[in-house]
């Protein structure tokens, strides 16, 4: 029974397979104390999450879904936040670390990950369904063609597990792509051993020209400073691990501190 008209602009593909919803709800650690769901929609996942004995909130942007959720789940009253996750101040929601869960709106999934990364020290775990291709990219190890900026940024602070694939027919309306559920668990890295702003810049600069060698991409940041020989220069960015990028960032810092030719 569905009384919400799916809106493409909000990435609304409602899951109708209850087994998948239950499996997602079970993928969050048992010791989770607080949980935030992104995009409750018609509440198929929310229903399982409400049963858990934990501090729970869910945020939904769509007024029609909000009205439906209040009608269908009277218990949701003080747990449903009406608003945009991307504008939410994540520190205001719980007074303790919290996990994030959701069948994400695929059109803004990267922005959601970047926001989670901004609050990584308050978010020990995230379980989410996203486009399969994006899930693979995030979980991928260096060396693969799809390993990219998001993989490096996320893997710097989270261990990523690809949990399972979900067929498009599990949704109304079916999306054009397959979906997958992944789990992110915060690792023990508090700070990278390099300037983190320069790390981001270096990762972006190299992947934005992923067919070029590191040497060519670094020239863009280095300007007319000379780049000393190092083991990364003839490689391509997709072969570098997080710790390689940390090392490369430190090399970059030395170059930037050197005097222009
Ligand atoms: N959880 C439901 C399910 O599994 O069927 C809905 C999933 S649907 C893929 C994504 C949901 O996120 C939609 O209900 C959509 O309205 C909501 N949404 C989209 N953008 C949002 C945003 N910026 N903040 C909060 N919710 C958003």
């Amino acid at each position: 029974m569905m009384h919400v008209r799916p809106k493409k602009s909000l990435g609304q593909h409602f899951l109708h397979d209850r087994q998948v919803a239950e499996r997602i709800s079970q993928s969050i650690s048992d010791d989770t104390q607080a949980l935030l769901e992104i995009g409750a929609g018609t509440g198929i996942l929310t229903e399982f999450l409400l049963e858990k004995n934990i501090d729970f909130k869910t945020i939904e942007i769509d007024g029609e879904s909000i009205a439906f959720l209040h009608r269908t789940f009277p218990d949701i009253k003080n747990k449903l936040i009406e608003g945009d996750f991307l504008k939410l101040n994540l520190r205001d929601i719980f007074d303790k670390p919290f996990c994030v869960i959701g069948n994400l709106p695929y059109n803004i999934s990267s922005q959601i990950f970047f926001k989670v990364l901004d609050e990584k020290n308050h978010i020990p775990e995230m379980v989410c369904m996203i486009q399969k291709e994006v899930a693979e990219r995030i979980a991928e190890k260096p060396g693969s063609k799809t390993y990219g900026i998001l993989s490096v940024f996320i893997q710097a602070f989270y261990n990523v597990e690809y949990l399972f694939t979900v067929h498009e027919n599990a949704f109304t309306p079916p999306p054009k792509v397959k979906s997958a559920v992944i789990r992110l668990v915060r690792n023990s890295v508090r700070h990278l051993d390099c300037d983190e702003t320069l790390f981001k810049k270096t990762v972006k600069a190299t992947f934005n020209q992923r067919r070029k060698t590191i040497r060519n991409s670094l020239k863009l940041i280095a300007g007319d400073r000379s780049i000393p020989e190092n083991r990364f220069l003839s490689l391509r960015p997709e072969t570098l691990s997080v710790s390689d990028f940390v090392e490369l960032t430190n090399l970059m810092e030395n170059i930037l501190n050197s005097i222009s030719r």
Side-chain angles (χ1 to χ4, degrees):
M1 206 181 35
M2 202 168 305
H3 299 285
V4 178
R5 187 175 42 90
K7 298 159 201 75
K8 211 174 170 185
S9 62
L10 295 177
Q12 289 184 337
H13 294 277
F14 298 120
L15 185 66
H16 57 68
D17 187 326
R18 286 178 61 81
Q19 273 184 334
V20 173
E22 184 168 24
R23 208 168 155 199
I24 297 174
S25 77
Q26 289 167 345
S27 301
I28 204 94
S29 300
D30 289 339
D31 58 1
T32 300
Q33 291 181 20
L35 185 60
L36 173 66
E37 185 195 13
I38 302 173
T42 46
I44 185 163
L45 176 58
T46 319
E47 187 172 358
F48 289 103
L49 303 176
L50 282 166
E51 285 169 7
K52 288 183 189 272
N53 188 22
I54 45 178
D55 217 346
F56 173 68
K57 301 263 184 209
T58 181
I59 177 158
E60 173 55 61
I61 200 169
D62 174 35
E64 206 184 338
S65 295
I66 299 263
F68 177 87
L69 290 161
H70 280 301
R71 274 202 310 275
T72 317
F73 308 102
D75 289 354
I76 211 169
K77 212 166 157 202
N78 300 317
K79 299 179 171 152
L80 181 55
I81 306 167
E82 183 166 1
D84 182 347
F85 172 79
L86 296 177
K87 296 197 180 130
L88 197 62
N89 186 346
L90 294 179
R91 308 262 178 107
D92 289 347
I93 303 174
F94 300 109
D95 53 7
K96 53 189 161 202
F98 60 96
C99 299
V100 171
I101 196 165
N103 172 12
L104 302 187
Y106 297 173
N107 49 338
I108 56 164
S109 61
S110 299
Q111 291 168 72
I112 292 174
F113 286 118
F114 283 117
K115 188 165 170 107
V116 166
L117 281 172
D118 283 342
E119 298 296 337
K120 57 187 178 289
N121 292 337
H122 302 275
I123 304 179
E125 189 178 30
M126 176 171 184
V127 170
C128 60
M129 176 137 65
I130 48 179
Q131 198 175 319
K132 180 172 188 261
E133 205 179 83
V134 180
E136 284 169 346
R137 193 178 314 152
I138 293 173
E140 208 58 85
K141 293 278 164 273
S144 115
K145 277 212 181 89
T146 53
Y147 178 76
I149 297 178
L150 206 51
S151 336
V152 178
F153 287 170
I154 293 178
Q155 290 174 23
F157 297 105
Y158 287 91
N159 296 327
V160 183
E161 275 171 274
Y162 186 101
L163 297 182
F164 55 94
T165 308
V166 181
H167 194 271
E168 44 275 44
N169 291 344
F171 302 87
T172 313
K176 289 204 178 69
V177 291
K178 289 212 182 327
S179 301
V181 178
I182 57 167
R183 175 163 51 215
L184 274 51
V185 177
R186 186 76 174 87
N187 64 20
S188 59
V189 175
R190 293 288 113 187
H191 299 285
L192 298 176
D193 284 331
C194 65
D195 176 327
E196 292 191 4
T197 308
L198 187 58
F199 174 85
K200 286 185 193 159
K201 207 168 157 182
T202 307
V203 173
K204 281 187 189 156
T206 55
F207 278 109
N208 283 341
Q209 310 202 76
R210 63 187 295 152
R211 273 187 210 126
K212 301 217 167 132
T213 60
I214 302 268
R215 184 195 308 274
N216 282 320
S217 306
L218 292 194
K219 278 186 191 157
L220 291 177
I221 309 183
D224 49 8
R225 296 170 186 84
S226 66
I227 302 176
E229 261 321 301
N230 66 66
R231 70 186 178 101
F232 300 117
L233 293 184
S234 59
L235 303 178
R236 288 177 202 279
E238 63 266 26
T239 61
L240 269 61
S241 66
V242 172
S243 60
D244 290 338
F245 272 112
V246 168
E247 197 181 326
L248 183 63
T249 303
N250 286 325
L251 289 169
M252 239 8 254
E253 185 158 15
N254 290 339
I255 295 169
L256 291 177
N257 287 337
S258 67
I259 300 163
S260 307
R261 277 183 290 190

